[in-house]
Amino acid sequence: MANQELDKLFDDLNPEQKEAVTYGTGPLLVIAGAGTGKTTVITRRLAWLILSGKVKSDEILALTFTDKAAEEMEERVDKLMPFGYLDFWISTFHSFCQRILKNHALDIGLPLNFKLLNQTQQAFLIRQNFNRFDLDYYKPLGNPNKFIQSMVKHFSRAKDELISPENYLQYAEEIKLNKDSGLSDELIDQETSRLKEIAGAYQTYQQLLLENNYLDFGDLINYTIKLFRQRPNILEKYRQQFKYILVDEFQDTNWAQYELLKLLAESKKNLTVVGDDKQAIYRWRGAAYNNVLQFKKDYAKCKDIFLINNYRSRQEILDLAYQFIQLNYFEEQEKISELTPLLSRPIKATRPGQALIEHLHASTQEEEARKVVEKIIELKKIDSEASWNDFAILVRANDQAEIFCQALRWADLPHQFLASTGLYAKPIILDILAYLKLLDDYHESPALYRILTSPIFAKIKNDDLVNLTYWANRKNWSLYETLTKASMLTDISAESLNEINKLLGLIQKHTQLARQQSVGKVVYGFLEETGYLGLLTKQAEENQAANLENVTYLNQFFKKIEEFEAANADKSVKNFNQVIEIALEVGDEGGMSRDLESGPEAIKVMTIHGAKGLEFKYVFVVNLVDRRFPTIERSESIELPDALIKEIIPQGDIHLQEERRLFYVAMTRAKDGLFFTSAEDYGGLRKKKFSRFLYELGLVRKGEEAVSPKSEKIIRRGFGQEKIPSTIVISPPTKFSFSQIRAFETCPLQYKFGFILRIPRRGNFTFSFGQTIHQTLFNFFQQILERQKISQSDLFGEKRESELSVSLDELLKFYEKCWIDDWYQSKEHQEKYKEKGREILKNFYQEIKANPPNSRYLELDFNFKLEKDTIKGKIDRVDLVENNQIEIIDYKTGRAKGENLSSEDKEQLLIYQLAGQALFREKIKQLTYYYLDENRKVSFLGSEAEIDQLKNKIQRIIGEIKRGEFSPRPSRMCQFCDFKDVCEYRQL
């Protein structure tokens, strides 16, 4: 790599950042204050290690905490790469461990087809098997289910601390010996009984997981640690592979995650951790923020680098935040005195100019919201360069946001409430849930009423609805019974009767479907046959923000359905309704992920937790009154005994310190202006006191009364503001796959539906079948490779003869475990395909047994650059053949179209040839489609002319995608399009 390519990595780095990026071997601790460029450092370091030739792209492990952060990190590194590379190991801790366990499940006795449960599914599992739990203390007579969600959280917390059920039971047995606690024998016996009960429940829960092939998120970490400890050869494999390990947001790691890191880094100790203890705000999910301190003890000779140059905020904001957070260190001074210089360094602003810092106080919460809106309008007028995206209103909890959204609506200001939960309360999702309830019970009158008033039955007149409810109440009928008799009622219009009959027909049809098919099929049938999906598609195509949001919600709801179907053998509507009921009972309102960059220009309203990692020109931290921020401490319903906790337990008021760190995060999101707001009246009987944080900041003096004159201003609708169009600006993707290129070439509108708007698609059994075969073959060859590594030579060091180390019976067992039963037309249809798969694999096995391949890569993710664009993909198999050449193989579960491949048919493998030229030192001998149905190979090698032609075609299509040219291109291919039923331009 030329020096000039490396030099580009350092163009805008300060000396400390450059030192961190180019640090050599050994442990490295980077303390990166807010806004000091920690993500820049970790991505540049990753790129530097590759570009300087120290490692290959798949020899670095980079871990962070959210999928969004991992995606952002990968995108940043991709832009720094001038050539092709194998896919990075950049992921969350949980995704990394899931990948490891999928490859090595059998080595630790786990099922290959294990299913991952979220918290709601865990609670559902406990409730379904409640009679298995021997509970007394945690099963109150009046509310037996009261502690289910608390138990789920407790078991998760135990796994964060690497506490097994056996550890817990042993502790509960031995606690009786402790007579120095000061408690009476009776109280000790009661406490012992309680601990035995919860430890026993933990053991029962873990047994249920194993019996049902389930894992939860804590298991992913714990079983990976167990795998590495019990199978040292596997641990050594990954130690050799990952020459460097990089960890972002290290302050948020829990004990188990840190133990995993130490295991992997033990031999080389090339462990770089980047974090800021002042921003550790996830203690509630088991994060041990003092892992920063523990790292110093475990790696006493580590290099410390401090990033103190802030590129975000003005100095006044940084000084105020610094003075505020020091209160946490004063409380813990005795414990961390020797490390105070490490943790309490002030941050320096690199941006000149003075910040705006102000406290706004109001008489009522409504007036507080108005004052925030007034200030935003004032700042927008003063700062001509500010966009609506530069403003953020940060709330402590989701339920505090609505009054500010209401004030913004009244002022006609564009805004988005970026809640992390609340999917199940969105209108489109409420409509679907109401329909599913209706299929389970026709006489769910509230659910039926919601469907009647939904957009799909807008033709039903309001007067007719009033009439129908009148007769239902008068005759004491359910609303469904009333609909069935609507034709006999007076004053119901013919148009409404037509819609009612349509609905009754759909209910009968889908009720029958619900008895035979999965909830996913039923939901898609409802959306498609009622015209709801077509309506949403048409609205989303217009790119209006609110309409596009409905498609986003729908996509996320389908992901919930996919998770449910993956985790449950019973995929019925009835069972799904029960899971949703449990979710709402335990406070799960439906998690949501939001992409800030995909939305229109708008003021952002969000929680402080959701704002971490973001920055805004002007920030409003609201509701700063006693008991709202800081919140009242809510201890865990079931707490872990201190004796079982491995991390160092902080001194002082742990909850208050956590709230301070959260407040510090809120403050350091601001670049130019920071506004704190409060009110006297939030609807209670007493006047609210100021938050203690306002006193600690020096914005309010001790003893000062919370007094505010009433504002004479009334915000009028459209308060002097120009209308802001809500059209979404669609950003082109940063990477392109063969699927995207082929979809756009077939029809640009199809591409837009599938890859930009992401309109939900009806599932296809051929896709399920193909996935099953691909996963089966991956496991088959993976097992061969693992056994080859174990037995490379005999006791005398002599090389063994090449042989197939996995039997046909094992291959067919892989097939059974990998089987995906989604979207088949019936049980008979599914069994027919299952038998077909067995025959395919038997024939395949005989061919492989006769000619065992020397497989080098399986399911190989790749990226390569074509000019400035990145092309991505996955190669099924790469074999090493004669003369040290390679063969690239792609499996096809269908049949070949003929003896010879057309230029169009060749394109997928030609892209793989381009990738192989960028990635491999070996010469490519041939490209092969393996048609499994016929057990036949079709091979070729692309000529230079074919490669050049493909390059030009890809660059032309990417150019059109970037220009946003998504015109429909109707053709005979419409009959195969996933969106043929919702596209008005289709040609069938």
Side-chain angles (χ1 to χ4, degrees), residues 179-222:
K179 300 294 182 180
D180 301 324
S181 60
L183 299 175
S184 66
D185 288 349
E186 182 181 357
L187 288 176
I188 287 176
D189 287 343
Q190 288 177 5
E191 180 65 4
T192 301
S193 177
R194 182 189 70 81
L195 284 170
K196 282 183 179 178
E197 184 175 311
I198 195 63
Y202 183 21
Q203 188 175 50
T204 301
Y205 165 74
Q206 202 62 26
Q207 187 61 37
L208 281 169
L209 290 176
L210 291 172
E211 288 173 8
N212 291 279
N213 294 347
Y214 293 152
L215 267 65
D216 61 27
F217 282 94
D219 284 332
L220 291 176
I221 308 288
N222 288 15

Side-chain angles (χ1 to χ4, degrees), residues 249-253 274-277 279-280 287-290 292 612:
E249 303 287 5
F250 179 67
Q251 76 280 350
D252 289 334
T253 52
V274 183
D276 180 8
D277 67 298
Q279 296 187 72
Y289 75 91
N290 49 31
V292 175
K612 189 178 180 186

Side-chain angles (χ1 to χ4, degrees), residues 94-268:
H94 291 116
S95 294
F96 166 71
C97 290
Q98 188 170 8
R99 185 172 176 178
I100 296 294
L101 292 177
K102 284 289 185 186
N103 289 343
H104 301 286
L106 296 177
D107 295 289
I108 198 174
L110 292 176
L112 271 175
N113 58 337
F114 68 78
K115 297 161 185 172
L116 195 59
L117 300 188
N118 59 32
Q119 280 200 355
T120 297
Q121 292 164 339
Q122 292 169 253
F124 186 58
L125 178 68
I126 293 174
R127 181 160 157 179
Q128 278 184 313
N129 298 274
F130 211 37
N131 61 328
R132 294 269 300 271
F133 290 82
D134 186 14
L135 299 175
D136 179 28
Y137 185 94
Y138 290 110
K139 189 180 178 182
L141 192 61
N143 185 7
N145 299 326
K146 178 180 178 180
F147 288 102
I148 288 179
Q149 186 66 4
S150 298
M151 286 194 291
V152 168
K153 291 179 179 178
H154 186 69
F155 303 154
S156 175
R157 184 75 182 91
K159 291 176 183 182
D160 289 341
E161 292 287 333
L162 280 179
I163 302 166
S164 67
E166 294 73 25
N167 297 150
Y168 211 147
L169 281 167
Q170 183 180 356
Y171 170 77
E173 290 289 344
E174 293 176 353
I175 196 174
K176 252 190 169 180
L177 304 176
N178 181 10
K179 300 294 182 180
D180 301 324
S181 60
L183 299 175
S184 66
D185 288 349
E186 182 181 357
L187 288 176
I188 287 176
D189 287 343
Q190 288 177 5
E191 180 65 4
T192 301
S193 177
R194 182 189 70 81
L195 284 170
K196 282 183 179 178
E197 184 175 311
I198 195 63
Y202 183 21
Q203 188 175 50
T204 301
Y205 165 74
Q206 202 62 26
Q207 187 61 37
L208 281 169
L209 290 176
L210 291 172
E211 288 173 8
N212 291 279
N213 294 347
Y214 293 152
L215 267 65
D216 61 27
F217 282 94
D219 284 332
L220 291 176
I221 308 288
N222 288 15
Y223 278 125
T224 303
I225 291 173
K226 184 177 180 181
L227 170 74
F228 287 159
R229 286 175 174 170
Q230 292 187 355
R231 299 287 183 267
N233 59 315
I234 294 174
L235 173 59
E236 187 59 28
K237 169 191 170 182
Y238 287 105
R239 281 178 175 173
Q240 290 301 318
Q241 177 178 344
F242 300 127
K243 295 179 170 60
Y244 288 84
I245 300 173
L246 314 178
V247 185
D248 197 10
E249 303 287 5
F250 179 67
Q251 76 280 350
D252 289 334
T253 52
N254 59 42
W255 182 268
Q257 289 163 341
Y258 184 39
E259 285 297 300
L260 176 66
L261 291 173
K262 288 193 290 185
L263 268 175
L264 282 167
E266 177 59 33
S267 55
K268 297 180 180 67

